Amino acid sequence: MVLRTTPPRHTGAPTVLKIVIAGGFGAGKTTAVGAVSEITPLSTEEYLTEASADVDSLAGIEAKQTTTVAFDFGRLSLPAAPVPLELFLFGTPGQARFVDLWYDLSRGAVGAVVLVDTRRLESSFTPVSFFEDIALPFVVAINQFDGAHRYQPEQVRTALELPGSVPVVTCDARDPNHVAGVLLNLVDHAVKNASPSHLHHTPPTTLQDA
């Protein structure tokens, strides 16, 4: 009898999973998708104008000049994972007025990452509540901005009133390795919490359910 110390390598076609990257306005969603995508990401960034000043507060993110008005799309292949993965990444617009689009982007997704900016923690409550309401597994990733105070994950968990079952991790959304680690954390979490029918859904290679 041969004892294995690691799981056998899966040699079939990769498992295709759709993942939503969410978070408040300016939390780093476009940056995260762009950092890790192996293709040139599709982005719908537009310049901020005075017309949005009353609804899109820049307090704490005064240097921000653009915002996502539809979604970001990227793709990441992980052939070296125990089960080869191909991840389709959909970044949401951050403002709560786009919540109807969040529903569309979440259709068929295996789970979501909620990026948190601790300088504007209040903007994280809406996406957290959204994924709780639609019962989509999610992880919270604290994006560690330069110059921002470093809070421990458990401090953020308490502030956002998250149950212990929701993973809370730290990351730098500019770092591909950090973002890939968060995505793998989400996949592991989703496998443990999603229904079997949800896990076996394979999104089409078009953007029709975005």
Side-chain angles (χ1 to χ4, degrees):
M1 181 175 68
V2 177
L3 297 177
R4 294 184 181 271
T5 57
T6 58
R9 180 69 62 185
H10 179 82
T11 57
T15 298
V16 180
L17 300 175
K18 178 181 180 181
I19 290 176
V20 177
I21 311 293
F25 178 52
K29 303 174 293 298
T30 298
T31 299
V33 173
V36 81
S37 180
E38 65 196 11
I39 63 172
T40 300
L42 170 66
S43 180
T44 58
E45 290 278 286
E46 294 291 345
Y47 282 99
L48 293 165
T49 66
E50 291 184 6
S52 67
D54 292 337
V55 292
D56 295 334
S57 171
L58 294 177
I61 53 171
E62 288 80 6
K64 185 173 177 58
Q65 296 180 326
T66 61
T67 185
T68 300
V69 295
F71 61 88
D72 301 310
F73 173 74
R75 186 186 70 203
L76 174 64
S77 298
L78 297 171
V83 175
L85 298 172
E86 187 171 0
L87 306 181
F88 288 179
L89 310 175
F90 289 81
T92 71
Q95 299 92 323
R97 66 179 181 275
F98 291 109
V99 68
D100 287 343
L101 182 57
W102 297 0
Y103 281 105
D104 292 335
L105 292 175
S106 298
R107 188 178 300 120
V110 71
V113 173
V114 177
L115 279 173
V116 168
D117 179 355
T118 56
R119 301 169 303 175
R120 295 160 55 92
L121 190 62
E122 68 282 354
S123 67
S124 302
F125 284 97
T126 297
V128 164
S129 296
F130 174 82
F131 293 115
E132 289 177 338
D133 289 345
I134 67 172
L136 186 67
F138 68 95
V139 302
V140 166
I142 306 166
N143 191 5
Q144 295 187 316
F145 286 89
D146 293 339
H149 182 77
R150 296 294 191 253
Y151 291 95
Q152 295 300 312
E154 288 308 308
Q155 292 176 292
V156 173
R157 179 190 304 282
T158 299
L160 293 177
E161 300 179 348
L162 296 169
S165 58
V166 175
V168 181
V169 298
T170 59
C171 76
D172 183 334
R174 302 167 297 185
D175 188 316
N177 291 326
H178 282 208
V179 178
V182 172
L183 295 173
L184 286 172
N185 193 308
L186 169 64
V187 171
D188 181 67
H189 178 60
V191 166
K192 294 175 181 177
N193 291 277
S195 65
S197 60
H198 200 183
L199 281 175
H200 287 93
H201 170 78
T202 300
T205 55
T206 67
L207 304 184
Q208 66 183 23
D209 66 352

